[in-house]
Every structure is written in C-alpha cells, then in structure tokens.
Amino acid sequence: MRLALELAHKGEGWTNPNPIVGAVVVKDQKIVGQGYHQKFGGPHAEVFALEEAGEQAHGATIYVTLEPCSHYGKTPPCADRIIAAGIRRAVVACHDPNPLVNGQGIKKMHAAGIEIAEGVLEEEARCANEIFFTFMETGLPFVQLKLAESLDGKIATRSGDSKWITGEEARTEGHCLRRKFAAIIVGANTVINDDPLLTVRHVEGPNPVRIVLDGDGRVPLDARIFSEEGRTIVATAVMSEGKETSLRERDVKVWRLPNGNGKVDLQALLPRIAKEGLDSLLIEGGGETAAAFLESCLVDKVSFFIAPLIIGGRAAIPAVGGEGARLVSEGLRLKWIKIEWIGEDLLLTGYPEARGV
C-alpha cells in the first residue's frame, strides 16, 4: 500500500478534479503490476496495474489507495475490471466519498466473491487526497496558504523588495505545490508590486487558473498575468465599468462579489470558484490577502517557507497583515505540524485549529 501511495502522488496536478490513485497487483508475494491515475479523463490506476499484470492478475491481490469506482464516467467502472480480471482479494485504503461511488465499488466486488480488506493506511490515503475529500464532502475548494518569509516573519523589506527571500530549492518546491492546485490567488498589491506570472515554470505540470483579488480595480492592464497563456479571473467589488470592459477584451473574467464594505466577499468567492469546477485554491500573497482568508477561517492548510534571513524594521512587510490577535490566546494555532529542510530553508506545514484553542 505504501508503494501504491507513492505511485498515486505522481498524478498530483494532472488529475483534478479527480483524485490521485495508485494500485499494485501482487501474486505469490511478488509485484506483477502497478499503475497510477495519470491524467483527468484517462485510464484509472487499476487499469494500468491490471494491464501490466496480465493473466497473472487471476487469483492475485490488488492494493488500491481509494475505493475502485463502480459507475460509468470518463472511463468504465474499475470494480468491473477487477472482477473480470479474476482478482481474489482487494485491499482498499479508504472509501471514495463521491456519491456515485461511496461504498458501491466495495459492495460490487464483495458480491462477486472477492475478499475485501479496508482501512490499510487509511489516514495517509485520506491525507494524500485531502483536496478531493474536501471538495466532495463540502462542495468547496480546499484552500492552502503558502508564504515565503524571513526568520522574523517578513515577506518584503521597507522598500518593497522581496526577491528572493528563499533559495532556489524552496522556489522549485513552491512550483511543485502550485502544480497540485486548480487555482492560485494573490491580492492586488502583489500584482502591482511584484508583477508575477503565477505559472508553473520550474517543474513540469499544468498551470493553475490565476485569480486576482482586486477590490477596487487597481491592478494595471499591462500586468503580465493578463497576457500570459491560460485562464485569469479578477474578483472585485467596485471596479469601474471601463476597466471591466478592458479586462474582458483581454479574455479575463471579472467576478463582482462585493461584501458591502468595498471589498471582495470571500465567503461568496469560494462557492464561485467551486462552480467553475475548481477543487482547490492556493493563496500566495500578500500579507493582507493572507490575513483576510485566515481571519475568515477559510484556510484548510498552511505552508510557510522560512529563510535563515533577518530583515527587521517596523516598516518591513509582515507575512500576515490585518489587525492581528489582541491576545496570544486568540491567535491561530496549528496542529499536525510537519517540518522539513528544503535546501537552506525550512518548510513548516500544518492545519489551523479553531480560534481560541
């Protein structure tokens, strides 16, 4: 099952909004077939593993990181394919939360006489598909905040300089993270000050849909994201009609989502993103955008790249802006923390707890 999970991760970014899945076929204690879901609309992991196993699949055991599908979608049901191959035993890490499956694949295989074992490395399998599970169970995109900061929590100097706080290895890892997400979002200040491309360049993979949080329509029309290949969306509150027309002429979508205070309604933004079929959102800056999502309790996961660098200064830009917590006890703590070295930088990943805990 661990090998199946390793295989599954190879599909990250390519299968959205489908899950990542790995499968391994074992016969007489030897691996005879393996595969993973490589891209949306393509064959599922079980198909690749069974094709490689060939006739050796008869009487074998298949290990799958997610319950095999039981319905016709882009491809035929994998449960039927497993039954037809003569598999004797199926080891499944976790159920598929998709209402079209949700236990039906397990039932179909069991009814055909296949021995079923469930829950092997279930926690790891759910974590691997946290984007898929969140989207299926809540109908909203999985939201992750990614920031690159100095040791003292700054994302730019007092002059606004921010290139580069972290090293090349961390920037490459950041692009690997981008590749996993269907959409990426930044605030207007980030576009104005940094003029980013918001593409996957350092690694191979699909570019996410670019979203700009621009409440009052300040982003210049010559920003690079408006001429870059791919989809770009601007979420606004009070943008002028002329600016909106100019953006639409550049094939940029404009969403008007006012919250009544001249800012974008983030509570309305996430359902709008989900309506587009986008199952995940990566927040990349800046400090005010990070604060807005955190204060609205809309962040599912955070990743902080921390450089061994001290910037200092009261005028330097903090990683998380906003008003901030009044008391330490009111701060947002993280759970299930993971820390690793990425080159000379640290990557801290965790999940926000409820406020006041």
Side-chain angles (χ1 to χ4, degrees):
M1 189 63 79
R2 291 199 184 281
L3 173 58
L5 283 168
E6 289 177 13
L7 291 167
H9 283 288
K10 291 184 177 182
E12 286 180 338
W14 297 99
T15 66
N16 302 55
N18 281 356
I20 58 171
V21 182
V24 176
V25 179
V26 176
K27 180 73 172 289
D28 298 328
Q29 299 184 341
K30 293 181 180 179
I31 294 174
V32 295
Q34 53 186 293
Y36 68 96
H37 187 24
Q38 298 180 8
K39 63 180 180 179
F40 176 73
H44 291 182
E46 300 92 324
V47 173
F48 286 114
L50 291 170
E51 285 183 348
E52 184 176 309
E55 294 182 359
Q56 295 183 87
H58 188 81
T61 296
I62 188 168
Y63 294 80
V64 189
T65 59
L66 188 70
E67 176 185 3
C69 61
S70 56
H71 65 291
Y72 281 88
K74 296 287 184 180
T75 60
C78 288
D80 290 356
R81 186 68 178 266
I82 290 171
I83 294 168
I87 288 290
R88 178 185 63 83
R89 181 170 179 258
V91 182
V92 179
C94 57
H95 274 216
D96 186 336
N98 187 335
L100 296 175
V101 185
N102 195 23
Q104 296 306 308
I106 297 290
K107 289 180 180 179
K108 180 177 284 191
M109 291 188 297
H110 185 266
I114 295 176
E115 179 186 342
I116 305 293
E118 301 180 63
V120 176
L121 298 185
E122 180 176 5
E123 184 176 339
E124 290 91 333
R126 285 184 62 92
C127 184
N129 268 315
E130 57 191 0
I131 288 174
F132 178 70
F133 273 84
T134 297
F135 193 56
M136 279 292 155
E137 294 174 350
T138 69
L140 296 175
F142 181 85
V143 179
Q144 185 164 339
L145 169 64
K146 173 256 177 181
L147 291 172
E149 63 174 24
S150 65
L151 192 60
D152 56 339
K154 310 296 184 182
I155 59 173
T157 66
R158 57 188 170 86
S159 68
D161 181 47
S162 61
K163 294 182 174 58
W164 296 98
I165 288 177
T166 54
E168 185 176 348
E169 293 93 336
R171 294 197 296 275
T172 298
E173 184 67 21
H175 279 232
C176 288
L177 190 58
R178 281 183 184 179
R179 180 175 60 188
K180 291 174 56 177
F181 284 77
I184 183 172
I185 191 168
V186 295
N189 288 336
T190 296
V191 176
I192 292 169
N193 296 328
D194 298 341
D195 198 16
L197 290 171
L198 301 182
T199 58
V200 174
R201 301 184 301 281
H202 298 309
V203 296
E204 183 181 358
N207 288 320
V209 174
R210 300 177 293 271
I211 302 177
V212 181
L213 206 59
D214 187 13
D216 52 5
R218 294 184 295 116
V219 173
L221 294 173
D222 61 356
R224 294 194 296 173
I225 55 172
F226 297 142
S227 58
E228 188 68 22
E229 184 180 353
R231 296 170 60 193
T232 302
I233 299 166
V234 175
T236 189
V238 292
M239 178 183 291
S240 69
E241 294 292 340
K243 186 70 167 286
E244 179 176 347
T245 298
S246 296
L247 286 172
R248 293 190 184 279
E249 289 174 350
R250 290 166 168 77
D251 292 325
V252 176
K253 284 188 176 183
V254 177
W255 295 347
R256 289 188 178 270
L257 301 169
N259 68 354
N261 296 316
K263 295 183 178 181
V264 175
D265 185 347
L266 299 184
Q267 299 288 349
L269 177 63
L270 293 189
R272 187 67 183 82
I273 292 172
K275 187 178 179 180
E276 292 287 307
L278 303 173
D279 63 1
S280 49
L281 178 68
L282 181 66
I283 307 166
E284 279 215 7
E288 295 304 316
T289 298
F293 275 92
L294 287 169
E295 290 171 359
S296 299
C297 298
L298 296 177
V299 176
D300 298 302
K301 186 177 184 179
V302 302
S303 292
F304 278 45
F305 290 87
I306 304 170
L309 168 71
I310 297 174
I311 292 177
R314 288 184 294 274
I317 302 174
V320 180
E323 291 297 320
R326 186 176 63 90
L327 301 173
V328 171
S329 61
E330 295 175 349
L332 188 61
R333 292 190 179 275
L334 302 180
K335 58 184 178 180
W336 305 327
I337 296 170
K338 177 183 178 182
I339 300 175
E340 57 186 311
W341 286 104
I342 306 293
E344 63 179 10
D345 305 306
L346 279 178
L347 171 57
L348 186 151
T349 303
Y351 299 79
E353 290 184 341
R355 286 187 177 276
V357 176

